[in-house]
Amino acid sequence: MKEKSKYKISYRALEPDDISQLYLWENDLEISQVSLSKVPFSKYVLGQYISQAHLTIQQTGQFRFMLLDEDKHPLGCVDLFDYDAIHRRAAIGILIDPNFRSHGYASEAIKLMKDYSFDQLGLQQLYCTVGAQNISSIKLFTSGGFLQIGLKKDWIFKNGGFDDVIDFQCINPYN
């Protein structure tokens, strides 16, 4: 008998069929308002990225997981990036499709990635940087066990002015 997962969501590697969905998410103006990256992505570039999805995080320094609901429908993605094997850490970023927000999926994604990062990859810590105006992400990471470790003043230029960013960190509790 198959054991029931403790999570409502699951994750998988990127597939070639994901290109259209990724293209929409990566170029969505609402999403880019809270993202620290402002570069639009072409389908060609995303196709090149997906073609490398079979490589490990140790080979590329990053890995993107597609997040799926219970019916295996894509609802977002999570990135582990800036992977550092020596210091056993990686950055984390989460994107939930606007149609699937406020259902607890991002919180579940953090739990899943903490389990994966600490148990499977043997990482010592995960970290992230969040715009100081992004209250929902600040609440998300704080409730997910991340501690605020710093504030960078006037770090990003946005909408004609500079905004602060907050650094968060989650140490592996089992090390």
Side-chain angles (χ1 to χ4, degrees):
M1 177 189 262
K2 185 177 178 185
E3 184 179 322
K4 182 159 174 61
S5 172
K6 61 183 176 178
Y7 298 110
K8 296 185 296 187
I9 63 173
S10 60
Y11 61 88
R12 64 165 170 76
L14 295 178
E15 298 286 347
D17 291 346
D18 294 328
I19 194 167
S20 293
Q21 185 62 65
L22 289 176
Y23 181 78
L24 291 174
W25 287 336
E26 291 290 353
N27 295 293
D28 184 308
L29 292 177
E30 179 185 343
I31 292 169
S32 69
Q33 288 298 314
V34 296
S35 171
L36 299 181
S37 172
K38 300 295 180 211
V39 180
F41 290 92
S42 68
K43 285 187 178 180
Y44 174 79
V45 168
L46 291 170
Q48 294 296 324
Y49 180 72
I50 290 172
S51 75
Q52 301 296 309
H54 66 284
L55 299 174
T56 67
I57 194 169
Q58 291 84 1
Q59 293 171 303
T60 63
Q62 64 182 5
F63 200 83
R64 176 171 282 186
F65 298 90
M66 186 63 77
L67 297 171
L68 309 169
D69 65 14
E70 291 171 315
D71 297 323
K72 303 300 180 200
H73 182 275
L75 55 91
C77 54
V78 61
D79 292 315
L80 295 178
F81 59 99
D82 289 343
Y83 171 76
D84 185 324
I86 294 171
H87 301 293
R88 295 175 40 205
R89 65 180 171 233
I92 184 172
I94 297 174
L95 180 152
I96 301 296
D97 184 288
N99 297 318
F100 293 99
R101 292 185 184 155
S102 301
H103 293 37
Y105 293 130
S107 295
E108 288 261 327
I110 286 178
K111 291 175 189 172
L112 273 170
M113 287 299 104
K114 283 171 60 175
D115 286 351
Y116 176 80
S117 298
F118 298 153
D119 298 342
Q120 301 297 315
L121 296 177
L123 295 183
Q124 170 62 13
Q125 65 182 284
L126 289 171
Y127 64 94
C128 64
T129 300
V130 177
Q133 304 301 317
N134 188 346
I135 303 304
S136 60
S137 288
I138 292 168
K139 288 179 182 177
L140 170 70
F141 283 104
T142 301
S143 67
F146 284 69
L147 299 176
Q148 181 176 335
I149 58 166
L151 174 70
K152 296 176 185 163
K153 302 293 284 175
D154 292 341
W155 194 254
I156 54 174
F157 186 76
K158 181 175 160 185
N159 299 326
F162 286 93
D163 283 343
D164 300 344
V165 297
I166 301 170
D167 290 323
F168 291 92
Q169 175 184 51
C170 182
I171 303 290
N172 185 340
Y174 306 110
N175 283 346

